[in-house]
Amino acid sequence: MKKRIIRVIALGLLVLMVPALAFAAETAPWSLAAQPKARREDLGRIGLFCHERGAGEISASDKWLWQGRINGVLINMRLFAPDGSGTLFQEQLEVMTPGTSDLRLYLRQRTDQGGLMLQTDARALQVLKNCGIREILLADKDYYLQNTFQVEELFALRRALGLEDGEQLCVGGEDDPVMIVSETGRRRYATE
């Protein structure tokens, strides 16, 4: 009987924690810069964002997303505007160099607003690495490149900052601060 009561209490506590964890995942970053200048490098439309979203055995979603989706699995990878609002994006995979299995992931936002921030956790980066995704490119709706992130550099930044597995890394342009989001949703600047 005591074991059953303990299980019920543990389940109740878990149910109470779920909204807090979901809130932490949904919190939006804030930026010191109102609107950093975007790099206006045209990626072109050839091969990007067509019906075929995969590369090899790895697939990306063909839907507008709030959260990353690789091989049908949702990962904690989101895009935010400088004002802190989440932004919808599309995914596209491409082989980086013909004859290799290294992939690049394009995230095309639904608007042309600059200053996007990428927020990820350790699990999302590990999924990308395991799938052979080496690079993440952020583009606006008109296919202009906003930012480029190397997955290994994001791992190195996490290690350098001493982040725990549940903490999320939030990065933007070169002049934007790096932020850390705790599991409880508390934000702090790692750099100014």
Side-chain angles (χ1 to χ4, degrees):
M1 186 67 161
K2 286 184 181 182
K3 288 183 180 180
R4 184 175 181 184
I5 292 172
I6 292 172
R7 285 185 198 144
V8 169
I9 291 171
L11 181 61
L13 290 174
L14 182 61
V15 168
L16 290 174
M17 287 177 51
V18 169
L21 294 175
F23 175 75
E26 291 296 328
T27 56
W30 19 269
S31 173
L32 290 176
Q35 180 110 221
K37 295 177 186 169
R39 273 191 356 215
R40 299 296 288 183
E41 180 182 333
D42 190 353
L43 297 175
R45 289 179 172 82
I46 300 172
L48 290 180
F49 306 101
C50 56
H51 294 293
E52 180 59 45
R53 301 289 178 141
E57 296 179 6
I58 309 300
S59 67
S61 176
D62 62 349
K63 307 289 186 216
W64 285 100
L65 304 169
W66 290 104
Q67 180 176 347
R69 187 174 182 170
I70 302 295
N71 276 350
V73 177
L74 289 173
I75 59 174
N76 200 358
M77 179 177 65
R78 302 165 193 270
L79 293 181
F80 293 97
D83 66 1
S85 61
T87 185
L88 287 168
F89 61 91
Q90 289 180 319
E91 299 174 326
Q92 173 67 34
L93 286 170
E94 177 183 78
V95 175
M96 289 179 72
T97 309
T100 69
S101 60
D102 293 342
L103 301 174
R104 102 177 8 110
L105 174 64
Y106 292 94
L107 302 178
R108 176 182 170 229
Q109 69 173 318
R110 198 170 195 166
T111 68
D112 59 1
Q113 183 174 16
L116 287 182
M117 300 182 81
L118 175 70
Q119 184 171 308
T120 63
D121 63 9
R123 181 182 170 275
L125 291 175
Q126 191 61 52
V127 168
L128 296 177
K129 182 178 178 179
N130 291 348
C131 291
I133 297 170
R134 306 288 176 238
E135 190 174 62
I136 304 168
L137 283 80
L138 306 184
D140 67 15
K141 71 174 184 170
D142 296 321
Y143 302 93
Y144 285 106
L145 181 64
Q146 299 278 329
N147 283 313
T148 302
F149 303 103
Q150 303 298 318
V151 172
E152 279 303 319
E153 289 177 6
L154 294 175
F155 268 117
L157 183 56
R158 287 186 64 84
R159 283 191 298 274
L161 295 172
L163 269 63
E164 300 291 327
D165 286 343
E167 292 180 307
Q168 298 177 55
L169 178 66
C170 188
V171 293
E174 292 177 10
D175 298 329
D176 287 336
V178 173
M179 287 180 278
I180 300 169
V181 183
S182 72
E183 291 182 83
T184 60
R186 185 167 183 238
R187 298 187 171 280
R188 68 183 190 275
Y189 286 108
T191 63
E192 295 280 334

